[in-house]
Amino acid sequence: MVDKEDLRQQMIDAFEGADYPINSPMDLVPALPNGPGTKFESGDFSMTAMELNTKLGGGDFPYDSAEAFVDDVMDDLEEQDLI
């Protein structure tokens, strides 16, 4: 079972170092601790930042904060029944 709050916090921790506002997913890469290979895991969910980028919709850029971006990512993951 996926702990959505834990997963959300992992993403916020990884993405909060980006220079906001961000205009594309590429603006996040320098902030990621392991670049595109940064992994987010909870329960049976495991996906790298690169995999997230390929599975998710285009997003509603620009984003002004990590929280706003992660909220949309989490919504997208739920809509696709990935979490």
Side-chain angles (χ1 to χ4, degrees):
M1 175 140 180
V2 175
D3 181 340
K4 292 178 186 175
E5 193 51 43
D6 176 56
L7 190 59
R8 182 178 187 281
Q9 191 59 53
Q10 287 178 46
M11 291 181 188
I12 288 173
D13 290 346
F15 296 132
E16 69 185 353
D19 291 326
Y20 289 88
I22 56 169
N23 296 305
S24 79
M26 294 310 294
D27 290 345
L28 296 165
V29 173
L32 295 171
N34 295 315
T38 299
K39 200 172 262 197
F40 304 102
E41 299 178 299
S42 179
D44 58 358
F45 177 88
S46 178
M47 205 174 279
T48 65
M50 181 67 79
E51 290 169 320
L52 277 177
N53 189 43
T54 62
K55 297 232 186 272
L56 302 178
D60 190 20
F61 289 92
Y63 287 96
D64 292 324
S65 69
E67 290 82 2
F69 176 71
V70 170
D71 286 346
D72 277 2
V73 168
M74 294 297 289
D75 288 347
D76 243 1
L77 290 172
E78 286 186 54
E79 286 173 16
Q80 294 184 43
D81 290 325
L82 295 171
I83 57 172

